[in-house]
Amino acid sequence: MLHLFRQFLTSFSLVIFLFTVAGCDTGEKAVRAEYENYTFDQLVIDKLPLYDSLATAIIENFPSFAKYIKNEDSYRSFRYIPDSEDPDVFIKLPSAAAPKITPYYDRIGKEFIYGFDVFKDSSIKILVRARLTPKSEVDIVENLSYYSGGNIRDRIFPEKDTTLNKNWQYWAWFGKRDLF
């Protein structure tokens, strides 16, 4: 009887493994397809002057953010996402910086920005949007990164990028949610 149970358990485990591998392959194909067919949103690119003004306001107020950036924090940045419920994320701007930053943030609009990160080196990542594609259920997270020193790095799969100018890179990350 024990031998039959072990045989069943081995067969069952093999079936589960095969379904998992098949699901991963399908997920990888879906991610690749979204990656290859993705085009950067021209409306985001058209708003680059507003994003540039926002970046300038952030950099001019960098000391207001820098004092909150701790090496032991998970993001190692000042991460501002006003609609977040994550305790590691700031939902309010520093009081000295808020009046200079909020007008640009509001002009860009919620459909084109949901937050930003300010890093120790004064680079900035604008969180443009995150969405789940309805058909393939692939997550696509769009970002704009500002590099004042122009040290833009090329991104590789599962990230796709385009350089907009010497300071700005528009990039997207593609991923499939876990099966379990």
Side-chain angles (χ1 to χ4, degrees):
M1 184 73 166
L2 184 58
H3 174 67
L4 289 174
F5 178 72
R6 284 185 184 158
Q7 192 174 19
F8 167 76
L9 191 57
T10 302
S11 298
F12 182 72
S13 298
L14 181 60
V15 168
I16 293 296
F17 174 76
L18 291 174
F19 277 118
T20 301
V21 169
C24 290
D25 185 45
T26 302
E28 172 82 17
K29 286 180 184 176
V31 170
R32 279 249 180 235
E34 291 293 342
Y35 174 90
E36 289 169 7
N37 294 320
Y38 179 80
T39 56
F40 292 96
D41 185 347
Q42 187 61 46
L43 294 173
V44 172
I45 296 168
D46 292 344
K47 289 185 173 282
L48 194 59
L50 282 173
Y51 291 114
D52 209 39
S53 296
L54 174 64
T56 299
I58 291 169
I59 290 168
E60 287 173 354
N61 289 277
F62 183 76
S64 297
F65 298 105
K67 64 185 175 185
Y68 295 103
I69 301 172
K70 309 282 189 259
N71 283 334
E72 60 274 5
D73 289 345
S74 58
Y75 300 115
R76 289 188 185 89
S77 67
F78 180 94
R79 176 165 266 202
Y80 170 68
I81 304 174
D83 294 331
S84 179
E85 293 180 13
D86 185 336
D88 291 337
V89 173
F90 290 91
I91 59 171
K92 291 187 178 185
L93 291 168
S95 58
K100 297 165 187 142
I101 291 170
T102 302
Y104 296 114
Y105 194 95
D106 292 343
R107 284 182 61 200
I108 292 169
K110 287 187 180 239
E111 63 276 9
F112 295 102
I113 186 171
Y114 68 91
F116 61 81
D117 293 333
V118 181
F119 298 94
K120 277 188 166 188
D121 66 355
S122 74
S123 61
I124 302 165
K125 179 170 75 171
I126 305 291
L127 310 169
V128 175
R129 68 175 67 98
R131 62 186 169 89
L132 180 67
T133 59
K135 186 176 176 185
S136 62
E137 295 188 341
V138 170
D139 287 302
I140 301 175
V141 180
E142 294 177 66
N143 302 286
L144 282 167
S145 287
Y146 177 85
Y147 302 95
S148 58
N151 296 326
I152 296 175
R153 67 178 176 94
D154 289 329
R155 297 175 188 274
I156 59 171
F157 181 80
E159 296 175 341
K160 187 174 192 174
D161 69 78
T162 185
T163 300
L164 302 176
N165 63 34
K166 68 179 183 138
N167 298 105
W168 285 101
Q169 181 184 54
Y170 187 8
W171 60 282
W173 174 88
F174 301 80
K176 186 84 170 154
R177 295 184 185 179
D178 293 331
L179 295 174
F180 302 102

